Amino acid sequence: MEKITLDKGAPEGLSRVDGRMKVTGRAKYSAEYKVAGVTYGVLAGSTITSGSIKTIDTKKAENAPGVLAVITYLNAPKIPGYQTETPAAKGALKIFYDDKIFFNGQPVALVIADTFERALFAASLVKVTYNATTFQTNLKSNLSTGVSPHNGPDYLRGSGDAYKNAPVKVEQEYLIPTEVHNPMELHAIIASWDADDKVSVYDKTQGIKSTQRSIAQAFKLPQENVHVMSPFVGGAFGAALRTWPHEIAAVLAAKVVKKPVKLVLSRADMFTSVGYRPHTWQKIGLGATADGKLTGITHEASGQTSVYEDFTEGVVNISQLMYACPNVNTKYRLVSLNVNTPTPMRGPGEATGAFALESAMDELSYALNIDPIELRMRNYAETDPQTGKPYSSKFLNDAYKIGADAIGWSKRNAKPGTVKENGWLAGYGMAAGMFGAYRGSATVVARLLADGTLHIETAVTDIGPGTGTAMTTIASEVMGISSDKVNFKLGDSTMPPSPTQGGSSVTATVGSAVSDACTQLKEKLKELNGNSESASAGYAQILQQHNLPQLEVTVTSKGGPELGKYAMYSWSVHFMKVLVHPVTGVVKIQQGLSVADAGHIVSPKTARSQMIGGSIMGAGMALMEEAVIDHRYGRLMNNNFADYHVPVQADIPQIEALFVNKPDPYLNPMGAKGMGEIATIGVAAALANAVYNATGKRVRDLPITPDKLV
Amino acid sequence: MKSKMPGTLPECEMEAPENSRRNFLKQSALITAVALTPAVATKAADMHVDEKIAEAFEKLPIKFEVNGVQQSLSVEPRATLLDILREQLDLTGTKKGCDYGQCGACTVHVDGHRVNSCLTLGVMVNGKKVTTIEGLAKGEELHPMQEAFLKHDGFQCGYCTPGQIMSAVACIREGHANSETEIREFMSGNICRCGAYPNIVNAIQEVKEGGHAV
């Protein structure tokens, strides 16, 4: 077991390979490329929440200085990909398609001008009148309208609602508000048509190849005629998993004005254009024997989606998977509202579900008077409860122990509201998280040059976790060469295909391809060297001896049949110590600690930061984040950073991340499992549980703001 | 305020101000031309000279120093320092995160003090010295704060990083880096959504305690 401790010394592991670019301002994000003749687009949004456009007067905007075009549904060239879809079918919002308005802020016009200031001003001159119709934006008052997605059956294992007959039970409702990804980089795209059937985009995206496919599909272009570049992405957390209407609009606008168009969303646009974690109502029923064996779990959830598109996520899955329990039934419903479509946000589904399940487990621990960790251990699943398959690896029990020792869990007083420190109520809480460990397919090209440097390319992105650093570490370890001899390049659709960065799968997927490519290179070197192993220092020499300028392999790598034999999951446990002011209800996190079972930790320095960052995002979810709609108008009231609070420095103490660091034997050659999601899944419950331990007040509707504690 | 039924539109659409100053300038330009000769006036109108004159009147000359280099620009009064740096001077190290002074990504130094460049109009820095992230290192030699951010992994995606570093340097210069708590308070104007806060604090403390000149 490796402990990565936090002190003022540097965390161990390779520093970010792109770090120097980032600290000097040389790293260029999508809006920052100098493109000759670039013009600027600014979107104007609907001021009604449902209905249709009656009139659009664009004359003033068109006559404003510097304006090149004002695009609306009335004059927009037809987007070929939109025409082939069934008009009535639900699906992605089609921008400038017709007069229909589904939500407040929906783009109704795009102004293109020669400067940003002029485009911004002209957008304010677009005059739209509407036929407004009644709308619904309130989840709570529309719960009864929920429908089962895809008409799928509800999940049942054993008998349903078994908790109701248990000797000890918990039955509670939990609510999470809409949470918005809000990466610091605004979504941005620069689109340029290089020929009538060829377009290039610098675009903020998590998926290079998926963006290439989406744009090609929308404009009916051969895929290779769409060039997508995204070498640096300023955070995304799920918000750049798909191609959004504004990206299609920018490509369209560049065609209209016959010039490159740069479109940068405003922070307000970020709340209505690129998804969010949906407002979700949940109900949990837990039943247990007096000695703490779970006899029934019932989990119901209703999440909001838009009226034009269904968005589903695995909110209730965690209740089917987390604990050994013979009787489990779950039910998931979608409530269509006049809002924009949600999208996966870090720990999609599971972060929402874990808040409810892990809060309820805490409530059960108090009802049973059993320590929360002990309760979890009494229901520890040794095989996958859903399929009965063995786990590829599971060291959650180790994680509980490591975490309990490190945070000083023994100091927790099981009686809530009894401990005071300097006038503040103090409490400890914990909660667990899990997420599927996936491995997809990736192709990399690896070139060893005669100077001994290794160059690897694949069309993946790095939204922040440190993919380049992890890949460099893998290559350097397999080849036995120093990391400064490895040059890993990503972020361009002309490179070999790689998956979208999401679902905690990139290290497992792309890392395997890098590892396989390096292994093949080594074998080739061995052949060249008369079948004898060569020391890494001799690579350059072998190439030189054979007069080879380079040695190149292209390798596609994906998992084998073992992926189907095992249940593969990453696991986490989060511990929090909070102080709650008894008069004001202010919650201060005093100590935070997350422990991950994410297999072998490939890149310890960046992994540690990713775990800490995930915990901080969970702290935001627990304590402050809430997008609020004024249901009289269907409009967001806090679409900016002054009113929508995310954690800032003053909210966050030193948070620690520790790793079990035991390899998974089956998922991939590195023994690594994913980590991005489990860093956040469970954090909100850990904080709610700590607040309960401190105050005796159970808050079941996030965020836990002071008004709920006084 | 009268209560509204749900689903009705409040009368709160903003009326954009009439573009009167610009129209006045355009008209004045044409009237001046008419005073010369009608033929000149016609030609001037054809060539959109009125537009160009109006544009010239609308822009203001500014001179300021950026990272030690003197810049003379003609800018619209409404153009922010942030947009001027990014769009006109190609200094894209300074980041746009909100445009409202709420996130700190655009932090630069003006005459040595940290400011949000999105809340600073270009015309306000006339005659001043601006330092951006691109001006912090001495050639290839990084500033101690940049080194400390690398060492402590004070970032992930890197987008808020230039603003964090500019703010961190100023935080020490201001004498606001004497404890972890103080650093957290005085660095709270710079949001990091990736959550690198503890690492950022460690980086700042190392530079402060190392006694480096910042």
Side-chain angles (χ1 to χ4, degrees), chain A residues 236 261 347 366 427 495 528 638:
Chain A
V261 170
Y366 286 95
M495 295 171 176
L528 287 172
N638 59 343

PDB file of all heavy atoms in Angstrom, chain A residues 236 261 347 366 427 495 528 638:
ATOM      1  N   ALA A 236     -13.995  20.745 -18.472  1.00  0.00           N
ATOM      2  CA  ALA A 236     -15.244  20.437 -19.181  1.00  0.00           C
ATOM      3  C   ALA A 236     -16.203  19.691 -18.243  1.00  0.00           C
ATOM      4  O   ALA A 236     -17.347  20.066 -18.101  1.00  0.00           O
ATOM      5  CB  ALA A 236     -14.968  19.614 -20.434  1.00  0.00           C
ATOM      6  N   VAL A 261     -15.276  32.323 -38.378  1.00  0.00           N
ATOM      7  CA  VAL A 261     -16.118  32.881 -37.317  1.00  0.00           C
ATOM      8  C   VAL A 261     -15.673  32.322 -35.972  1.00  0.00           C
ATOM      9  O   VAL A 261     -15.518  31.108 -35.809  1.00  0.00           O
ATOM     10  CB  VAL A 261     -17.613  32.546 -37.553  1.00  0.00           C
ATOM     11  CG1 VAL A 261     -18.456  32.908 -36.327  1.00  0.00           C
ATOM     12  CG2 VAL A 261     -18.135  33.285 -38.779  1.00  0.00           C
ATOM     13  N   GLY A 347     -19.257  12.092 -12.631  1.00  0.00           N
ATOM     14  CA  GLY A 347     -19.974  11.097 -11.831  1.00  0.00           C
ATOM     15  C   GLY A 347     -21.445  11.055 -12.198  1.00  0.00           C
ATOM     16  O   GLY A 347     -22.311  10.982 -11.321  1.00  0.00           O
ATOM     17  N   TYR A 366     -27.321   5.255  12.275  1.00  0.00           N
ATOM     18  CA  TYR A 366     -27.771   5.855  13.545  1.00  0.00           C
ATOM     19  C   TYR A 366     -28.973   5.086  14.108  1.00  0.00           C
ATOM     20  O   TYR A 366     -29.071   4.872  15.308  1.00  0.00           O
ATOM     21  CB  TYR A 366     -28.108   7.335  13.354  1.00  0.00           C
ATOM     22  CG  TYR A 366     -26.883   8.207  13.208  1.00  0.00           C
ATOM     23  CD1 TYR A 366     -26.388   8.553  11.953  1.00  0.00           C
ATOM     24  CD2 TYR A 366     -26.201   8.685  14.336  1.00  0.00           C
ATOM     25  CE1 TYR A 366     -25.259   9.346  11.810  1.00  0.00           C
ATOM     26  CE2 TYR A 366     -25.066   9.488  14.207  1.00  0.00           C
ATOM     27  CZ  TYR A 366     -24.603   9.814  12.946  1.00  0.00           C
ATOM     28  OH  TYR A 366     -23.473  10.596  12.818  1.00  0.00           O
ATOM     29  N   GLY A 427     -18.159  17.640  13.553  1.00  0.00           N
ATOM     30  CA  GLY A 427     -18.665  16.313  13.219  1.00  0.00           C
ATOM     31  C   GLY A 427     -17.903  15.670  12.080  1.00  0.00           C
ATOM     32  O   GLY A 427     -17.300  16.354  11.242  1.00  0.00           O
ATOM     33  N   MET A 495      -4.922  12.743 -36.343  1.00  0.00           N
ATOM     34  CA  MET A 495      -4.190  11.683 -35.636  1.00  0.00           C
ATOM     35  C   MET A 495      -5.043  10.411 -35.596  1.00  0.00           C
ATOM     36  O   MET A 495      -6.249  10.465 -35.826  1.00  0.00           O
ATOM     37  CB  MET A 495      -3.893  12.157 -34.211  1.00  0.00           C
ATOM     38  CG  MET A 495      -2.943  13.346 -34.166  1.00  0.00           C
ATOM     39  SD  MET A 495      -2.848  14.025 -32.486  1.00  0.00           S
ATOM     40  CE  MET A 495      -1.605  15.292 -32.735  1.00  0.00           C
ATOM     41  N   LEU A 528      15.654  -6.596 -34.542  1.00  0.00           N
ATOM     42  CA  LEU A 528      16.768  -5.914 -35.217  1.00  0.00           C
ATOM     43  C   LEU A 528      18.089  -6.223 -34.535  1.00  0.00           C
ATOM     44  O   LEU A 528      19.140  -6.288 -35.165  1.00  0.00           O
ATOM     45  CB  LEU A 528      16.536  -4.391 -35.215  1.00  0.00           C
ATOM     46  CG  LEU A 528      15.459  -3.841 -36.156  1.00  0.00           C
ATOM     47  CD1 LEU A 528      15.224  -2.363 -35.886  1.00  0.00           C
ATOM     48  CD2 LEU A 528      15.871  -4.038 -37.615  1.00  0.00           C
ATOM     49  N   ASN A 638     -29.751  33.037 -11.439  1.00  0.00           N
ATOM     50  CA  ASN A 638     -28.370  33.173 -10.949  1.00  0.00           C
ATOM     51  C   ASN A 638     -27.352  32.632 -11.946  1.00  0.00           C
ATOM     52  O   ASN A 638     -26.475  31.853 -11.588  1.00  0.00           O
ATOM     53  CB  ASN A 638     -28.223  32.481  -9.582  1.00  0.00           C
ATOM     54  CG  ASN A 638     -28.559  30.997  -9.628  1.00  0.00           C
ATOM     55  OD1 ASN A 638     -29.191  30.535 -10.571  1.00  0.00           O
ATOM     56  ND2 ASN A 638     -28.120  30.274  -8.633  1.00  0.00           N
TER      57      ASN A 638
END
